[in-house]
Amino acid sequence: MTQSSQNPGSGTEVALLGGGCFWCLDAVYRNLSGVSEVVSGYAGGHVPNPSYEQVCGKATGHAEVVRVVFDPAVVSYEDILRVFFTIHDPTTKDRQGADVGPQYRSVIFFQGAEQEAAAKAVMAEIEREGLYSGRIVTELAPAPEFYAAEPEHQDYFARNPWSGYCRAVVAPKVAKFRKSFAHRLKERAA
């Protein structure tokens, strides 16, 4: 299923980000105040409408990404990126922990000159702060066509919290996000 990377509605913006397995980013951004929609999917490759199996085969050129729809009056694009750089390692090329391959690359697909400039500024800020011992290798490129992943990959962590991968990989990233950005969490319904 193809979806445009452009603004989905008035008053909202889109961030298209790849930082390893999309299940991790999906789980984190669903908890961020100002985010109205998160869709896991694929972008940056040359195969139209790829399947998860094709992308995992490492020959499509696609990265696992999330399409984050947010209200910039509530959360800035820069803060979306600060969260992004907190929850994955931007210093490893085509790798996040044990997940290895081009589909796990760190990538920001920007939606125009403003997002490109903001991404460069946040990357420079992260470098200056010395949060990582290695050099940031995050790819920065114009937003390509986005393909939504299969339904079983949407909101994966919430539906599979006890799976081994979720417990070992996703849960610690969600916990780190909640600790680092406690003031930015969505309010939970009572």
Side-chain angles (χ1 to χ4, degrees), residues 22-23 26-28 30-31 38-40 66 150-161 166:
F22 47 30
W23 298 337
D26 177 291
V28 166
R30 286 179 185 275
N31 288 293
V38 181
V39 180
S40 292
V66 289
E150 298 82 348
E152 63 267 23
H153 298 294
Q154 308 303 329
D155 204 10
Y156 188 86
F157 180 62
R159 294 182 305 98
N160 300 280
C166 286

Side-chain angles (χ1 to χ4, degrees), residues 41-123:
Y42 317 108
H46 57 274
V47 175
N49 298 308
S51 68
Y52 181 71
E53 290 75 21
Q54 287 175 308
V55 173
C56 288
K58 303 178 184 178
T60 66
H62 287 292
E64 289 189 16
V65 299
V66 289
R67 181 178 181 268
V68 179
V69 179
F70 64 99
D71 180 347
V74 178
V75 61
S76 69
Y77 181 68
E78 291 83 355
D79 282 345
I80 295 278
L81 295 179
R82 288 180 185 105
V83 169
F84 174 71
F85 283 112
T86 300
I87 59 173
H88 86 291
D89 182 352
T91 68
T92 55
K93 183 167 173 51
D94 296 343
R95 173 183 208 127
Q96 286 299 304
D99 295 331
V100 179
Q103 72 272 30
Y104 301 120
R105 68 188 180 269
S106 177
V107 59
I108 298 169
F109 291 117
F110 57 84
Q111 316 277 332
E114 278 187 37
Q115 282 193 359
E116 180 182 18
K120 287 178 179 177
V122 171
M123 289 170 74

Side-chain angles (χ1 to χ4, degrees), residues 102-181:
Q103 72 272 30
Y104 301 120
R105 68 188 180 269
S106 177
V107 59
I108 298 169
F109 291 117
F110 57 84
Q111 316 277 332
E114 278 187 37
Q115 282 193 359
E116 180 182 18
K120 287 178 179 177
V122 171
M123 289 170 74
E125 171 188 309
I126 300 299
E127 289 275 8
R128 275 191 315 276
E129 291 177 1
L131 297 178
Y132 295 97
S133 58
R135 185 180 66 81
I136 292 177
V137 296
T138 301
E139 177 186 332
L140 189 56
E145 191 68 35
F146 169 79
Y147 301 96
E150 298 82 348
E152 63 267 23
H153 298 294
Q154 308 303 329
D155 204 10
Y156 188 86
F157 180 62
R159 294 182 305 98
N160 300 280
W162 302 113
S163 78
Y165 188 90
C166 286
R167 289 174 67 189
V169 179
V170 183
K173 289 185 180 194
V174 171
K176 181 179 182 180
F177 160 73
R178 287 182 177 155
K179 182 178 179 185
S180 299
F181 295 93

